[in-house]
Amino acid sequence: MILSHAGFSTRAQEVKKDSVKTKIPFENYDLTWINGQNRQSDFPLTLKDKSGQTILTGVALVDGYFNYNFARPKDNTQTISASMGRSNEFSLNQASIGIESNYKNVIGRLWLQTGSMLHIVQETDGSVTRGRNTGTGNLKLIREAAAGYHFDVNYGLNVEMGIFMSYIGLESYVLQENWSYQRSMVCDFTPFYFQGARLQYFPTKNFKTELWILNGWQTYNSWSKNPGLGSSNYYRPNDNIQLAANFYYGTDSKSGTNTLSKVKRFHHDDSMVYRYYKNKAAKGLSQAAFSINNHYGFQSGDGVKAKNNYMTGSALSSRLWFAQNKIGWTVRGDFVSNPGAYLAFNPAATVSDNNGNVVLNDYDNALAAGNNLKITQLTSTLDYMPNDFMTFRLEYGYRKSNVPYFAGPGGTTSQTGFSNDSIDPTWKPDLRKQENRLTLAVNFRL
């Protein structure tokens, strides 16, 4: 249906030919409970032809939050998160409208977006500096845009090209689809979009496999003469369990100032989501499920050794639903280890003093001393969902790292907290090893 960070769609199979219904993968499965998937079962913005076949499905989404960081950084900047970029103020995180069409086997998809989350995600794309006629400004307002065709082979064969949500990781780019508002660190450190082409094949009712050819790891353009390659595999024996395994291989960095890097990147994640109790009519406990998502990846070549540049981590979530699924409670624990910090967020902007000298922070010094970055995170999330279209969310989050990494009261921008002020040569970003946050989010989806 609506593509998520996990990159799964079945609406493309809902086609008819000569008045005979095509085989539909995962038909009659209830997928609304899965971590990283849209929970809607009703789509009111649907246009149908005279025969009742769907022509277009429209979607509107608005997501806002108030994120209270107990450190109260003076620049109101929330660091080490692709889910939220501001603290101690109200923020419009994402507003998006889109249409999808799978009419007469033709696949078309266009999602437009705006909001503060765009700046966090797209502005890290350094590939747009390679050559001319590039830039995130041309594309960042497009969340997803693709064209393709569906072939009636077995349970479906789709060929598409365009900009897609990433298939790496369990949790979605759309925060409403996740059981928690702040994503797990393994999902926050991995891509949210790809530009390229994919082939989706459904050989049976309960299995899907995909092959991807990509410009690069969360890039609009290419870092290399060769494209990146990917694979995604989903198995659902019934609607209570989902197993997934994803792979990526490519070249995704620049070496020096004049040469393309020969460093190769490999990444793998696998996940299981299991619903072990279901009684949707119950006024007490109505559903119960858990999810686990594991990641491993590394970089090597051109003088870079995998033993010093790898990432490993896991996220384990437990969710309970109450009152006919109108209330949800999720507890999650996750960790990530990233020696070399090649996938980690920069905890502070690169700043220079009045003489043009780069100001190093404690994080830079700690890594230079040989400490490997390790982060643990705990979240507790309470949702109130009066219907499919509205979510009120309250979440507490705690994080801890082995090196100073999270914003302290002094902030990470400048001694005044403003980015357009000259940097005092004695100032350094205020980084701490622990962080506590309380987040209130409200989102609407139709």
Side-chain angles (χ1 to χ4, degrees), residues 357-421:
N357 300 313
V358 174
V359 177
L360 292 178
N361 54 56
D362 291 338
Y363 168 71
D364 298 317
N365 295 329
L367 288 184
N371 291 327
N372 296 328
L373 176 62
K374 294 180 173 64
I375 304 171
T376 56
Q377 178 177 237
L378 296 172
T379 59
S380 179
T381 309
L382 182 65
D383 291 338
Y384 174 58
M385 304 163 288
N387 51 47
D388 283 358
F389 313 116
M390 197 75 193
T391 304
F392 299 90
R393 175 167 284 181
L394 180 65
E395 179 171 287
Y396 169 74
Y398 169 78
R399 300 193 288 189
K400 183 178 181 180
S401 64
N402 63 319
V403 296
Y405 195 55
F406 305 106
T412 57
T413 302
S414 72
Q415 72 278 4
T416 64
F418 289 87
S419 60
N420 59 350
D421 286 344

Side-chain angles (χ1 to χ4, degrees), residues 152-405:
D152 293 324
V153 177
N154 298 127
Y155 278 79
L157 177 68
N158 302 329
V159 180
E160 297 179 77
M161 181 180 293
I163 297 173
F164 303 95
M165 293 291 95
S166 166
Y167 63 89
I168 297 290
L170 172 66
E171 294 175 317
S172 174
Y173 174 71
V174 179
L175 298 178
Q176 183 213 37
E177 297 178 349
N178 301 328
W179 290 354
S180 304
Y181 197 73
Q182 167 63 54
R183 302 183 193 90
S184 63
M185 298 310 300
V186 286
C187 285
D188 246 10
F189 280 12
T190 49
F192 294 101
Y193 64 87
F194 289 122
Q195 183 156 247
R198 71 179 180 187
L199 184 148
Q200 293 180 319
Y201 178 45
F202 300 80
T204 66
K205 177 182 178 179
N206 52 22
F207 179 68
K208 178 200 71 166
T209 185
E210 297 184 359
L211 295 176
W212 292 67
I213 301 177
L214 314 163
N215 284 345
W217 176 276
Q218 192 165 290
T219 63
Y220 290 119
N221 303 114
S222 175
W223 285 109
S224 170
K225 295 179 181 179
N226 302 312
L229 300 175
S231 172
S232 179
N233 305 275
Y234 276 75
Y235 176 58
R236 287 184 173 126
N238 54 59
D239 61 358
N240 290 320
I241 187 167
Q242 171 184 283
L243 303 174
N246 305 308
F247 303 87
Y248 174 87
Y249 180 77
T251 305
D252 297 284
S253 63
K254 184 177 71 172
S255 178
T257 57
N258 299 312
T259 60
L260 293 177
S261 174
K262 296 180 182 179
V263 177
K264 302 298 182 182
R265 178 176 297 172
F266 169 82
H267 197 88
H268 161 69
D269 84 272
D270 57 78
S271 62
M272 178 175 70
V273 189
Y274 178 56
R275 180 173 59 181
Y276 55 90
Y277 178 79
K278 178 178 66 173
N279 183 5
K280 290 188 176 182
K283 295 181 179 180
L285 181 66
S286 52
Q287 284 190 131
F290 73 85
S291 71
I292 184 168
N293 186 211
N294 307 301
H295 286 244
Y296 175 72
F298 62 86
Q299 292 189 144
S300 65
D302 206 16
V304 175
K305 296 182 179 180
K307 66 178 183 179
N308 300 322
N309 285 269
Y310 70 87
M311 169 186 161
T312 184
S314 294
L316 176 63
S317 300
S318 175
R319 184 167 174 88
L320 304 176
W321 288 260
F322 303 91
Q324 299 176 336
N325 295 345
K326 288 183 170 59
I327 297 174
W329 178 43
T330 302
V331 177
R332 184 188 64 206
D334 60 276
F335 79 93
V336 63
S337 178
N338 191 195
Y342 74 98
L343 292 182
F345 294 105
N346 192 331
T350 301
V351 297
S352 301
D353 60 24
N354 294 332
N355 297 319
N357 300 313
V358 174
V359 177
L360 292 178
N361 54 56
D362 291 338
Y363 168 71
D364 298 317
N365 295 329
L367 288 184
N371 291 327
N372 296 328
L373 176 62
K374 294 180 173 64
I375 304 171
T376 56
Q377 178 177 237
L378 296 172
T379 59
S380 179
T381 309
L382 182 65
D383 291 338
Y384 174 58
M385 304 163 288
N387 51 47
D388 283 358
F389 313 116
M390 197 75 193
T391 304
F392 299 90
R393 175 167 284 181
L394 180 65
E395 179 171 287
Y396 169 74
Y398 169 78
R399 300 193 288 189
K400 183 178 181 180
S401 64
N402 63 319
V403 296
Y405 195 55

